[in-house]
Amino acid sequence: MKHIKKIKDRLLERKQELENEFIDLNSEKFSDDQVQDTGDQALATTMETLRKSFTDTKRGEYKMVLLALEQIEAGTYGTCIDCEKPIASKRLELFPYATRCLGCQEVFEEG
Ligand SMILES: [Zn+2]
């Protein structure tokens, strides 16, 4: 794997970004304050739902970033965690934290 250093830098950068976003999110007292002022429970619920789906997505991404970094450390980066075949380098360029090859990812997403 030629660009491993570059990929690692990108992953570390993304990890930092996500960590900063989590901190921002946790420091926001958005829904609590708004509910007290307006009493608009529906709005607060909507915001909470949006915020939850946002964090679920980001948490998923964060986990994948961590996993990819672990794989780099272990020397298994670029190998599909399901079929253990090499992941196409083009795919890794687009998705540096991909842990599955395209075929296994499709199977995984279909459930
Ligand atoms: Zn695979």
Side-chain angles (χ1 to χ4, degrees), residues 80-85 87 100-105:
C80 175
I81 59 170
D82 283 349
C83 70
E84 297 181 358
K85 285 178 188 159
I87 302 171
R100 288 181 177 86
C101 68
L102 194 56
C104 291
Q105 185 63 38

Side-chain angles (χ1 to χ4, degrees), residues 62-72 77 81 97 99:
Y62 187 66
K63 266 188 214 163
M64 288 173 81
V65 169
L66 288 186
L67 188 60
L69 284 167
E70 269 176 33
Q71 287 184 315
I72 288 174
Y77 180 77
I81 59 170
Y97 44 78
T99 51

